[in-house]
């Protein structure tokens, strides 16, 4: 049942559910939220596309060609898990080379100026922290850490990559990688021949090949400790600003529902419709980098990032 629910979440289509709002009205409302301070920002894949990492549900999103693995597949299907690691071994080096873009840097600046209470991100790329943001909750974890499904041991992704290189000499050289085909969860499509040729290594502690990125996959719950940190951050925030997310996944959409329940203003900045459009006070349909630049321009001299 959990696997079927995960598939439904992956396949959820977010369509128009509210009239478009005048851009100036949306801009003015969101600017007022930032001026008041203590804004909780929730970010999705749309903030990292300018760093070369594709989103899931945009016009060129990865879901058009690729279905992410579910947690249940990681647990119970060794062949699917092996296929993931072959694909991730190829795709991860593109993710590792990604650097923060102007959106990440501007949000870090807003936090330093005291306008934000913190950032909750659905992304697993670590780019908010790399940009200098201090109070970041990676809701779905970070690709930089690997966990063993059998004994729970942890290993850094870079260290695992070194071991995979040693076990697969010449493997990467035999594959032509199109960066545009790298998925947000760090893997890339490979043919069956290359998947079969790939050699997986085992856990450093128990030897098990059942390794998994320490991220929350579809069908998996956000850890209780992370939920507790998030609740504290929500409590001390005055409003919610969602940037670059369709809110198709419940873990993100719940933040909007919580804010509405508490009577807090909600703003949305996204290039397409979101699941929360009908519930938001301000919804700005815009290129994200341009929208954030306009918001800066309306508080004083434009920031050059």
């Amino acid at each position: 049942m959990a696997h079927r629910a995960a598939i439904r979440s992956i396949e959820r289509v977010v369509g128009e559910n509210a009239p478009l709002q005048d851009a100036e009205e949306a801009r003015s409302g969101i600017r007022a939220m930032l001026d008041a301070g203590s804004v909780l920002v929730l970010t999705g894949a749309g903030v990292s596309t300018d760093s070369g990492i594709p989103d899931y549900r945009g016009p060129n999103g990865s879901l058009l060609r690729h279905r992410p693995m579910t947690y249940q597949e990681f647990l119970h299907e060794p062949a699917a898990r092996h296929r993931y690691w072959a694909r991730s071994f190829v795709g991860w080096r593109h993710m590792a080379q990604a650097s923060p873009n102007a959106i990440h840097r501007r949000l870090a600046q807003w936090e330093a100026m005291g306008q934000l209470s913190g950032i909750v991100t659905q992304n697993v790329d670590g780019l908010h922290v790399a940009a200098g943001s201090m109070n970041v909750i990676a809701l779905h974890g970070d690709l930089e850490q690997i966990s063993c499904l059998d004994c729970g041991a942890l290993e850094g992704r870079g260290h695992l990559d070194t071991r995979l290189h040693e076990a697969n000499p010449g493997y990467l050289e035999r594959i032509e990688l199109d960066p545009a085909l790298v998925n947000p969860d760090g893997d890339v499509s490979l043919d069956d021949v290359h998947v079969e040729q790939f050699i997986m290594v085992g856990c450093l502690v128990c030897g098990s090949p059942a390794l998994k990125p320490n991220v929350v996959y579809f069908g998996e719950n956000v850890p209780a400790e992370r939920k507790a940190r998030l609740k504290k951050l929500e409590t001390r925030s005055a409003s919610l600003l969602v940037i670059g997310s369709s809110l198709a996944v419940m873990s993100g959409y719940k933040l909007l529902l919580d804010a509405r329940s508490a009577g807090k203003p909600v703003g949305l900045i996204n290039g397409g419709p979101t699941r929360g459009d009908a519930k938001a006070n301000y919804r700005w349909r815009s290129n994200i980098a341009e929208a954030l630049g306009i918001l800066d321009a309306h508080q004083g001299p434009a920031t050059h990032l």
Side-chain angles (χ1 to χ4, degrees), residues 138-214:
L139 191 60
H140 297 153
D142 193 314
L143 284 172
E144 287 292 331
Q145 195 174 56
I146 306 302
S147 62
C148 175
L149 292 172
D150 287 334
C151 75
L154 300 177
E155 181 180 6
R157 182 65 178 84
H159 189 272
L160 174 65
D161 192 62
T162 298
R163 296 201 293 132
L164 290 174
H165 268 285
E166 294 172 350
N168 295 273
Y171 186 87
L172 294 174
E173 290 73 14
R174 298 193 297 270
I175 297 173
E176 294 184 8
L177 173 62
D178 180 354
L181 298 181
V182 177
N183 301 309
D185 47 2
D187 68 352
V188 63
S189 297
L190 288 181
D191 58 46
D192 291 342
V193 172
H194 285 111
V195 171
E196 292 171 2
Q197 292 174 346
F198 175 74
I199 297 174
M200 184 57 187
V201 297
C203 171
L204 288 171
V205 175
C206 71
S208 170
L211 302 181
K212 171 184 169 293
N214 200 19

Side-chain angles (χ1 to χ4, degrees), residues 77-236:
E77 298 185 21
R81 193 166 57 233
H82 182 88
R83 182 172 62 251
Y84 168 81
W85 280 114
R87 294 158 57 125
S88 178
F89 180 50
V90 177
W92 181 77
R93 55 221 64 265
H94 176 72
M95 295 285 288
Q97 293 170 2
S99 59
N101 61 52
I103 299 170
H104 299 106
R105 294 192 295 272
R106 201 177 298 276
L107 290 174
Q109 182 184 63
W110 288 357
E111 182 188 29
M113 294 169 62
Q115 295 177 323
L116 309 185
S117 59
I119 297 173
V120 178
T121 184
Q122 297 172 296
N123 301 336
V124 295
D125 51 39
L127 294 181
H128 283 299
V129 173
S133 290
M134 303 299 293
N135 191 16
V136 179
I137 296 178
L139 191 60
H140 297 153
D142 193 314
L143 284 172
E144 287 292 331
Q145 195 174 56
I146 306 302
S147 62
C148 175
L149 292 172
D150 287 334
C151 75
L154 300 177
E155 181 180 6
R157 182 65 178 84
H159 189 272
L160 174 65
D161 192 62
T162 298
R163 296 201 293 132
L164 290 174
H165 268 285
E166 294 172 350
N168 295 273
Y171 186 87
L172 294 174
E173 290 73 14
R174 298 193 297 270
I175 297 173
E176 294 184 8
L177 173 62
D178 180 354
L181 298 181
V182 177
N183 301 309
D185 47 2
D187 68 352
V188 63
S189 297
L190 288 181
D191 58 46
D192 291 342
V193 172
H194 285 111
V195 171
E196 292 171 2
Q197 292 174 346
F198 175 74
I199 297 174
M200 184 57 187
V201 297
C203 171
L204 288 171
V205 175
C206 71
S208 170
L211 302 181
K212 171 184 169 293
N214 200 19
V215 301
V216 177
Y217 273 74
F218 288 96
E220 185 177 7
N221 294 323
V222 174
E225 177 273 336
R226 203 172 299 160
K227 288 181 179 178
R229 287 177 55 211
L230 176 58
K231 183 55 65 176
K232 290 180 180 179
L233 184 54
E234 286 184 277
T235 299
R236 65 173 185 262

